[in-house]
Amino acid sequence: MATLPSLFETFLTNIRPSDQHIEDYKEGHETLRDLLRNDDIISEFYVGDFLQGSYRRWTAVRPIGDEKSDVDIVFVTDLDKDEVTPREAMEKCEPFLEEHYEGQWSRKDRAYQIDQDRIEIDLVLTASPSEAAKAALQPDGSVGGLEVGEGLDTNQSSRVAEAFGLTLDKNEEEWRDEPLDIPDRRLEEWDKTHPIATIEWTLKKNDLTDGHYVNVVKAIKWWRRTQVSEPERPKGYPLEHLVGECCPDYIDSVAEGIVRTFETIEQRYANEARMNDTPTLPARGLPQIDVFARIDGDDFAAFHEAAGEAATLARDAYEEDDKSVSRDLWSNLLGDSFPEYGNGDSDDGGEKAVNLDSSSKSTSVSDQRFA
């Protein structure tokens, strides 16, 4: 059995965002958030802001070709969803966007997209939360929801809070289970979202997999983007959610995680794929929301077939004793970014995991985003 930890570490280095990408993320989101906090018009309904998306969940992969780095900002307002429509709420942002990002912004169903030279920023507005959440989400408030729960220690909570740019206050924990309301311009209704629950879930899952989970997500995202051209969906967060559902706990390597995740996808959802149906995947913290609601049954069946083929190839690569042959099989699965097996590669070193919640680590979460 060959897990090839050194080659996987190189592979993951090859597919994670570069230092330049990270600088682009940082400059883009910090500039936008500073503008939001100091704009006279926005200040009339501003409560707070924070990062979400794969950048914040440590699961981002490097852009390919002409793609741009993308980052998501949640903009929390005190707008009453019972008094303003989703369209009216979103349109309150447009004078701000026109002033600061003229010619760079466009409307999406649930967000505004700001398109810059090297990055795309999605600005997601939310309606007024509870008073506890307002206090927690203000720039001088708390992200205390991330300090509560098994597997999260005080040091980790402080690092996560620092990564959000917020302070930690144990007196503001009660908002941790509270979802937020976001507007859907197309459907003209307010929908629930719970980005904090998703981030917290990711931290716990990564701990249960000995730090390998986020790297399994990156590897399978890369497979999906580079090796599977059809169908169009699932991808992005729905794909990440599916990996989260199927990646087992207590894995010893990224290789094992990839194999067993693909096999679980194939086995668990065989009936849905056979019927050209789509499985139901409840959202983190919002079991009434189906993450796969917008994915077509035919698309899922085609994806399931590709995942089944990947499961077979991954199992062959994992169980192959000859490391050179194993490397070739992994490359067939994951593409040219998987490195060559050279004469100087003993590949018997330990595999680098992403320990997001180890109190023994002195590195901050901000520095470990793409470790």
Side-chain angles (χ1 to χ4, degrees), residues 214-370:
V214 295
N215 284 333
V216 172
V217 173
K218 291 172 192 171
I220 292 180
K221 278 187 174 181
W222 193 257
W223 163 81
R224 174 68 176 86
R225 292 173 66 188
T226 63
Q227 308 301 307
V228 182
S229 58
E230 297 290 341
E232 182 179 354
R233 295 177 177 178
K235 60 183 180 180
Y237 179 71
L239 175 62
E240 179 176 332
H241 192 97
L242 179 66
V243 173
E245 290 297 298
C246 296
C247 181
D249 298 336
Y250 312 114
I251 54 177
D252 294 325
S253 65
V254 176
E256 180 188 1
I258 294 170
V259 173
R260 295 179 63 188
T261 298
F262 275 132
E263 290 178 342
T264 301
I265 292 172
E266 181 182 26
Q267 295 161 11
R268 183 177 296 176
Y269 303 112
N271 288 336
E272 287 89 345
R274 189 178 302 112
M275 300 297 294
N276 281 33
D277 200 358
T278 306
T280 299
L281 273 68
R284 313 293 179 209
L286 290 169
Q288 73 274 24
I289 303 295
D290 180 12
V291 174
F292 266 35
R294 297 189 177 192
I295 296 174
D296 180 77
D298 291 340
D299 282 353
F300 181 75
F303 172 82
H304 183 269
E305 181 179 0
E309 294 171 355
T312 300
L313 183 54
R315 175 60 68 177
D316 289 344
Y318 184 61
E319 294 189 345
E320 175 57 58
D321 291 330
D322 186 310
K323 292 180 180 180
S324 179
V325 175
S326 176
R327 176 269 161 201
D328 290 343
L329 292 171
W330 282 117
S331 181
N332 288 342
L333 176 68
L334 298 172
D336 294 339
S337 293
F338 202 85
E340 295 287 340
Y341 187 81
N343 294 330
D345 297 324
S346 63
D347 209 81
D348 54 3
E351 187 170 305
K352 182 179 180 182
V354 186
N355 296 310
L356 298 176
D357 60 353
S358 171
S359 61
S360 64
K361 302 293 183 182
S362 61
T363 307
S364 72
V365 169
S366 295
D367 295 331
Q368 290 183 349
R369 289 186 186 111
F370 307 107

Side-chain angles (χ1 to χ4, degrees), residues 87-292:
R87 185 179 300 275
E88 289 170 343
M90 292 184 70
E91 287 176 350
K92 288 180 177 292
C93 295
E94 294 188 5
F96 165 84
L97 292 167
E98 192 61 24
E99 178 180 355
H100 299 290
Y101 295 97
E102 182 180 2
Q104 296 180 298
W105 63 274
S106 59
R107 301 178 184 90
K108 299 172 69 173
D109 287 344
R110 300 186 177 194
Y112 283 103
Q113 179 174 297
I114 299 170
D115 192 347
Q116 299 185 305
D117 289 341
R118 293 196 295 264
I119 64 168
E120 292 176 352
I121 306 174
D122 274 2
L123 179 62
V124 183
L125 176 146
T126 81
S128 179
S130 70
E131 291 303 313
K134 285 182 182 180
L137 289 166
Q138 287 171 349
D140 57 351
S142 165
V143 68
L146 288 179
E147 71 166 331
V148 183
E150 293 183 39
L152 297 180
D153 56 63
T154 301
N155 289 336
Q156 168 64 10
S157 303
S158 299
R159 292 198 297 274
V160 173
E162 178 186 354
F164 268 78
L166 305 174
T167 59
L168 192 64
D169 182 355
K170 292 186 178 181
N171 294 324
E172 301 292 351
E173 295 176 359
E174 62 266 32
W175 78 279
R176 69 182 294 268
D177 292 324
E178 180 182 324
L180 297 169
D181 293 284
I182 61 172
D184 189 311
R185 186 200 309 268
R186 180 175 60 87
L187 298 178
E188 275 296 317
E189 63 184 25
W190 291 91
D191 285 339
K192 297 289 186 182
T193 186
H194 208 329
I196 300 300
T198 306
I199 296 165
E200 182 180 21
W201 189 95
T202 302
L203 288 164
K204 292 179 178 179
K205 181 70 174 182
N206 206 61
D207 182 49
L208 290 170
T209 59
D210 198 25
H212 297 302
Y213 168 67
V214 295
N215 284 333
V216 172
V217 173
K218 291 172 192 171
I220 292 180
K221 278 187 174 181
W222 193 257
W223 163 81
R224 174 68 176 86
R225 292 173 66 188
T226 63
Q227 308 301 307
V228 182
S229 58
E230 297 290 341
E232 182 179 354
R233 295 177 177 178
K235 60 183 180 180
Y237 179 71
L239 175 62
E240 179 176 332
H241 192 97
L242 179 66
V243 173
E245 290 297 298
C246 296
C247 181
D249 298 336
Y250 312 114
I251 54 177
D252 294 325
S253 65
V254 176
E256 180 188 1
I258 294 170
V259 173
R260 295 179 63 188
T261 298
F262 275 132
E263 290 178 342
T264 301
I265 292 172
E266 181 182 26
Q267 295 161 11
R268 183 177 296 176
Y269 303 112
N271 288 336
E272 287 89 345
R274 189 178 302 112
M275 300 297 294
N276 281 33
D277 200 358
T278 306
T280 299
L281 273 68
R284 313 293 179 209
L286 290 169
Q288 73 274 24
I289 303 295
D290 180 12
V291 174
F292 266 35

